Amino acid sequence: MRRMDFANRTVVLGVGGGIAAYKACEVARLIVKGRGKVRVAMTPAATKFVGPLTFQAISGAPVLVDLFDGQAEPSYGHLQLAREADLFLVAPATADLIARLRAGMGNDAVTTTALAVTCPVLIAPAMNTRMWKNPAVQENLAALIVRGWNVVGPGAGVLADGDVGEGRLAEPNEIATAASRLLGNLDLSGRRVVVTAGPTREPIDPVRFISNPSSGKMGYALAAVAARRGAEVVLVSGPTALADPAGCRTIRVETAEEMARAVEEVAGGMDLFIGAAAVSDYRPTTSAPHKVKKGAGDETLQLTRTPDILAGLGTRFGGKPDAPVLVGFAAETEEVIAHAREKLKGKRCDLVVANKVGGSGSGVGFGSDSNRVALVSSTELAEIEGPKERVAEAIVDWILPVLDARRPRAQPLK
Ligand code: C5P
């Protein structure tokens, strides 16, 4: 399937009531241009910004707005739309609409359709930047992501109200590209991918451990994106609060040694390894079988190095002509790029995704839903910033040509 080919696919477009609703017309037009079928549901508020007739003209079909207008549409119109949908796209998703979707409400054409769909869902948020940063909005969105919904945007820039910042609806082209991907841009089909994610826990005794604040979100986003793009994905995850990503085999581990063993078991035949885990570099040399009681004075903890999983794979495969593509992460508090370059060489990987951690109030990095990273390879340096899903897509986009050059496909894309 070409990037923007929607042939034989139906996208149900749910339009929310924001100024960016006019851009949803362009999204609908791009899908129609890509030979797709578009069916539109609008919230009453959305009709204040763009008339249903506009969407009717673009999509060539009646628009569902009023659930109770038996004249215009049958009262079960939302169920019909949900049945037809190969993808449910909500654009723009306002703060109010996101909250209602999260709560599972069914009080307009968009939310009732959302309740009835069984296909993938993509939402494109758009709102004022201060509203976007509000924890209520972020929590609602995070809950939808946990449910397996996908998010595109928002972008940053000058907003309709003159504020500058994140909150702008993603560009129509970006939304249509994300939609076409979800509908099956299977550019990783036939590929075996192993991803590590989350922290590890190295026990001191049964109730204490050494660990770090990694949430696992970046690795989970990478696993989900790779699976969505057709790969067979094994996610080896340290302890996290996240649900297993859809379409992946998830192996849960606790310690660095368990993670190393799990990777070893699944590494044979892999095409791509992404080490997104924040693996503890040291473990207590001995782990007490019972809770250690505190004494009067100070204690010394003796530490032993854990196996370096990525470096081990680099030694095993690095430099071989058909080696799997190896991707590492470098979370650094200073000299980020220099350290990333050292890691690239030292661990013999193809790409290091570097990010600065530990700065206060940055809102990106450990635990957050956004990330600002630099992709460091032997020949390139590129910066990406945005929600972790989008960063994950960009990382996969970077990897793809390297993978295709190193390990040409035996079979053509489906
Ligand atoms: O050397 P550093 O820990 O900063 O390297 C980070 C990269 O190496 C990450 O990709 C991480 O997943 C990987 N790593 C590993 N095993 C370790 C330590 C780090 O795979 N024991």
Side-chain angles (χ1 to χ4, degrees), residues 330-343 352 354-357 374 376:
E332 299 290 346
T333 54
E334 34 128 46
E335 303 274 3
V336 179
I337 303 297
H339 285 305
R341 287 201 198 288
E342 276 166 28
K343 245 160 252 187
V352 167
N355 64 343
K356 196 164 193 294
V357 289
V376 183

Side-chain angles (χ1 to χ4, degrees), residues 201-210 254-258 282-293 300-304 306:
R201 286 181 181 172
E202 311 301 328
I204 298 168
D205 67 18
V207 292
R208 302 185 183 95
F209 53 79
I210 297 175
E254 292 268 327
T255 66
E257 282 177 5
E258 285 169 14
Y282 291 92
R283 65 171 173 80
T285 307
T286 55
S287 165
H290 299 290
K291 184 178 172 187
V292 177
K293 296 292 167 204
T300 303
L301 195 60
Q302 196 188 344
L303 300 176
T304 299
T306 55

Side-chain angles (χ1 to χ4, degrees), residues 196 256 273 275-281 305-311 327-332 343 347:
T196 65
F273 174 81
V279 186
S280 180
D281 295 316
R305 279 295 303 267
T306 55
D308 191 317
I309 302 166
L310 180 63
V327 178
F329 274 69
E332 299 290 346
K343 245 160 252 187
K347 304 201 184 203

